[in-house]
Amino acid sequence: MSFSTDQSVIISGVGSYAPPRILTNVELSQMVETSDEWIRTRTGIRERRIAGPEESTSDLAAKAAAEALRDSGLTAGDIGLLVIGTVTPDMPFPNTACFVQQKLGLGKIPSFDVEAACSGFLYTMEIARSLMLVNGYKHALVIGAEKLSSITNWEDRTTCVLFGDGAGAVVLSLVDEPDIGIIRTIMGADGTEANILCVPGGGSASPSTVETIERSMHYIHMQGNQVFKIAVRVMCQSALDILEKAGLAAEDVALVIPHQANNRIIEALAQRLGIGMERFKINLDRYGNTSAASIPIALDEAWRNGRIRSGDLVLFVAFGGGLTWAASLVKWH
Ligand code: ACO
C-alpha cells in the first residue's frame, strides 16, 4: 500500500560487510560429526564467515552501513531514520541501532531494531518505507546484521553447519516520482509454529540460570525438516502472491534475491515460479545463512557485479523464525 501516489521510496545506496575469518566445512567436520559432502549436498554451503570475539553485531552493521552511505553519495547528516533487523542484538537493550547511530556519528534520529528473524531485512525495509512516506524522512538507513555465531551451539551438528555472521545495508531515499523503487511488499507470520525455530532461553520466559545454560537453551533450537517444508511453502506462496497483487508475471522479474538458507529451498522456489536458476542471486555457498543479513549481502554482491540495471524488476523473498515471511518487489531506478 502506498500513502501517496506521487512519491516513492528507492534504494539509493547498498553496502555489506563480512568478517574476514572463514570457517570451512572441512574445519567443521573436525569439530562435530559431519562432512563437507553432507553439508554441500544438503544445503549448498561450503564456508561461512565468523566474527571475532571483539566484534559485535553493531560493529558489523556500522561497517555495512558506512559502505551503503558511501555508495549513495550521502553523508551521516543526511540520514533521518535508522532501523536494524537482527536477532542477535549487542544487548537485550538498548537497541543495536542506538550503538550504530553513535558509531556512524548520525544525528539524534529515531533508531530502533526489528526482530523478524530471517525475514527481518524485508520487514525492516517496509517499516522504514512506510515511515518515510508518512513522516517525510528524506533518507533512511536500513540494515540487516547478525552475529549468529554467538547463539550457535558448536556441538550441535544439526544447526552449527548452517549459520554465519555478516551485515548488509541500504540507504532508502524518498523521491517525487510514482511507481519506482519499492513498489510493493507483503508480510506475514504464523505464531503457531513459533517453537520449531527459536532460542528458548535467556528471555523473560526462561531467564538465564545455570540450569538454562547447562541445557543449552541460549542457543538456536530448530526442527530442521519441519522448517524446511514450511519454508518451501511460504516462499513459493509469498512470491506468487506479490506478483499477482502487483499484476506482474514471473517473466517480468529480472533477478530474484531470496533468503539464503538452503539451495534446495531456492531450487524448489525456482521450479514453482518457472524462473531459471540463472535469474537467482545465490551466495549461500560462501556465507551460509546470515538471517536478516542474507538478503542485503546478496543484493550488494549483485549490485556490485552489475547484475542489476536501471528499470529491472527485482524480487526479494524471505522466511524465518516466528515463523515469519515477506516479499518485496523493487523496480530499480
Ligand atoms: N552432518 C551429518 N549428518 C547430519 C547433520 C550434519 N551436519 N545434520 C543432521 N544430520 C543427520 C541427521 O541426524 C539425520 O540422520 P538420521 O537419518 O540417522 O536420523 C539425517 O542427517 C537427516 O536429517 P534431516 O534433518 O532429515 O536432514 P534434512 O535433509 O532435512 O536437512 C537441514 C537438514 C539442512 C537442516 C534442512 O532440514 C534445512 O535446511 N532446513 C531448513 C533450515 C532453515 O532454513 N532454517 C532457517 C533458520 S534461520 C533463522 O530463522 C535464524
Side-chain angles (χ1 to χ4, degrees), residues 4-311:
S4 156
T5 50
D6 49 13
Q7 286 192 311
S8 304
V9 171
I10 62 164
I11 295 175
S12 57
V14 189
S16 68
Y17 172 78
R21 161 82 168 103
I22 293 172
L23 178 64
T24 64
N25 289 350
V26 173
E27 282 177 271
L28 269 173
S29 67
Q30 287 148 13
M31 294 160 60
V32 288
E33 202 182 325
T34 190
S35 67
D36 174 49
E37 208 257 334
W38 191 96
I39 303 169
R40 266 191 298 106
T41 51
R42 297 289 177 123
T43 70
I45 300 166
R46 290 170 185 274
E47 59 189 39
R48 67 290 291 144
R49 301 298 184 92
I50 302 294
E54 73 295 343
E55 272 180 313
S56 65
T57 295
S58 68
D59 293 316
L60 310 181
K63 286 179 177 154
E67 286 298 316
L69 258 184
R70 236 190 311 277
D71 187 48
S72 70
L74 297 168
T75 60
D78 296 318
I79 301 298
L81 174 70
L82 168 63
V83 198
I84 300 186
T86 188
V87 291
T88 47
D90 284 18
M91 300 177 187
F93 79 91
N95 67 53
T96 308
C98 286
F99 292 114
V100 173
Q101 185 206 83
Q102 172 239 315
K103 284 175 184 171
L104 288 175
L106 303 179
K108 309 290 181 226
I109 57 171
S111 304
F112 60 96
D113 297 357
V114 171
E115 205 275 70
C118 307
S119 312
F121 178 74
L122 297 184
Y123 265 63
T124 303
M125 192 162 73
E126 179 60 2
I127 291 165
R129 185 189 78 96
S130 306
L131 284 173
M132 292 171 82
L133 289 168
V134 170
N135 289 352
Y137 301 114
K138 284 215 157 48
H139 307 285
L141 257 175
V142 171
I143 308 170
E146 303 285 10
K147 186 178 176 181
L148 290 179
S149 60
S150 67
I151 55 168
T152 297
N153 182 349
W154 293 103
E155 293 176 355
D156 174 10
R157 70 173 183 173
T158 68
T159 52
C160 76
V161 300
L162 303 173
F163 303 113
D165 301 333
V170 295
V171 175
L172 299 184
S173 297
L174 196 60
V175 293
D176 293 322
E177 194 185 331
D179 307 321
I180 187 84
I182 307 163
I183 55 175
R184 190 173 276 272
T185 295
I186 58 170
M187 301 181 286
D190 179 1
T192 64
E193 302 286 0
N195 291 330
I196 68 172
L197 177 51
C198 60
V199 175
S204 60
S206 294
S208 292
T209 61
V210 172
E211 197 206 337
T212 65
I213 304 283
E214 276 171 1
R215 292 171 60 199
S216 299
M217 289 169 66
H218 53 304
Y219 293 133
I220 298 170
H221 287 240
M222 180 176 72
Q223 291 170 35
N225 41 22
Q226 275 298 102
V227 174
F228 187 94
K229 280 183 222 149
I230 301 174
V232 170
R233 178 162 51 78
V234 300
M235 290 274 275
C236 294
Q237 199 55 52
S238 312
L240 292 169
D241 277 0
I242 196 167
L243 286 170
E244 190 194 334
K245 288 199 166 86
L248 294 162
E251 302 85 78
D252 300 321
V253 176
L255 186 67
V256 184
I257 304 185
H259 170 50
Q260 311 280 316
N262 187 317
N263 238 350
R264 290 185 293 140
I265 296 174
I266 297 173
E267 279 163 4
L269 175 66
Q271 200 168 23
R272 186 75 198 279
L273 289 178
I275 297 181
M277 287 297 275
E278 71 287 352
R279 279 201 277 152
F280 278 74
K281 171 64 195 172
I282 297 172
N283 65 1
L284 62 83
D285 52 323
R286 285 171 289 118
Y287 295 99
N289 179 347
T290 57
S291 190
S294 95
I295 285 182
I297 293 175
L299 169 64
D300 187 43
E301 273 194 9
W303 172 234
R304 273 167 215 289
N305 295 342
R307 286 192 71 181
I308 307 175
R309 296 201 192 89
S310 179

